[in-house]
Amino acid sequence: PPMHMPPMHMPPMAPMVMSFGAATSGVPFLFSSWKPATPAAFFFACALTMAAAAALEVALRALPHLERRLARGGRRLAHRNLLRAAHTVATTGLSYALMLLAMSFNVYIFAAVILGFGLGALFAGHLHEPPKTRPPRLAEMDSANPPTCEQLSVLRVSGMTCAACVVAVEVALRSVAGVTAAAVDLEAGSATVLSSSGGGGGLSAPPITQMLDAVEKTGRTASAVVVGAAFGPSLGHEPVGMPTGRAACCR
């Protein structure tokens, strides 16, 4: 015999408010039990919301610096990953909370969230800038030591997407014997490498193939853009194999 299903009665769903309001009392902040009863308490809660948004913006912009410190520090892997996990939990939870606050469709709460992000960028916007690619100045040399010539090479690196990629490529380049400094520009997709060629005109700088191999071992691809030849008092005053001004001379 055919089966007859009883009619299902669904409780009516509360309509979602999609327009902004301007109430200053009785508005819930994340929890239904947290409803500031007075305008003063409401605007104090808005100030806390603004501070939370600013703190989140600063934490997100400071992430590349945190990765650099962890990569260069001597902490154990478990300790480094614990700090990364703590940063992820804090920023993710704060982001979700701010999203829920913005969805309250209160014009004052929404403005507090937006202004908080703006304040965070105002005070910490420079933390997100990529590192300078200009090579460091050569240190003053002892007159008793023979001059050390330097050469500057520029590589084009593909496959970098975040600050961790920048750190990985820099560490790989600095691990090449003879490399004295390396700086990677994420936005330009380039790496500037300063390498030593020994003293007295004896060339001992690492070949460009070693630098390219080191980058490729990190999972990225690299190609040589500019290769500078070492030069100094014993080699002349003009760089060999490199446009003028693109190589470092002996001092």
Side-chain angles (χ1 to χ4, degrees):
M3 298 181 63
H4 298 281
M5 297 295 294
M8 299 180 65
H9 299 282
M10 298 292 294
M13 297 182 63
M16 185 176 180
V17 180
M18 297 297 293
S19 60
F20 282 96
T24 58
S25 61
V27 179
F29 276 77
L30 292 181
F31 306 102
S32 59
S33 59
W34 184 16
K35 293 182 180 180
T38 62
F42 173 81
F43 286 112
F44 177 75
C46 288
L48 293 179
T49 301
M50 185 186 304
L56 175 61
E57 182 70 15
V58 172
L60 293 176
R61 290 183 176 272
L63 180 58
H65 289 261
L66 174 63
E67 290 291 346
R68 292 177 187 276
R69 290 179 63 90
L70 293 179
R72 297 172 183 174
R75 298 182 177 89
R76 295 182 178 180
L77 178 61
H79 189 192
R80 299 198 303 269
N81 286 343
L82 180 62
L83 293 177
R84 293 187 178 102
H87 184 276
T88 301
V89 170
T91 53
T92 304
L94 198 53
S95 299
Y96 187 72
L98 290 172
M99 180 194 69
L100 293 179
L101 285 172
M103 290 179 62
S104 64
F105 292 99
N106 182 279
V107 65
Y108 298 109
I109 299 177
F110 184 80
V113 174
I114 299 302
L115 290 177
F117 284 132
L119 288 176
L122 178 63
F123 291 108
H126 61 283
L127 297 179
H128 209 251
E129 294 180 356
K132 301 291 185 180
T133 58
R134 186 184 62 181
R137 299 186 63 182
L138 300 177
E140 294 296 330
M141 304 176 63
D142 190 353
S143 58
N145 297 326
T148 299
C149 296
E150 303 262 339
Q151 77 174 22
L152 185 67
S153 303
V154 180
L155 311 179
R156 178 176 291 109
V157 183
S158 303
M160 297 186 300
T161 58
C162 61
C165 299
V166 172
V167 174
V169 173
E170 287 183 351
V171 171
L173 288 173
R174 289 169 185 164
S175 65
V176 177
V179 173
T180 58
V184 177
D185 190 332
L186 177 61
E187 293 184 354
S190 64
T192 305
V193 184
L194 193 65
S195 55
S196 174
S197 60
L203 297 180
S204 61
I208 193 67
T209 54
Q210 293 186 11
M211 303 179 192
L212 299 179
D213 291 341
V215 175
E216 291 177 355
K217 288 180 180 179
T218 66
R220 288 87 186 171
T221 58
S223 60
V225 178
V226 177
V227 180
F231 68 101
S234 61
L235 300 175
H237 297 287
E238 294 295 331
V240 180
M242 190 177 198
T244 303
R246 297 302 296 273
C249 63
C250 301
R251 296 182 180 180

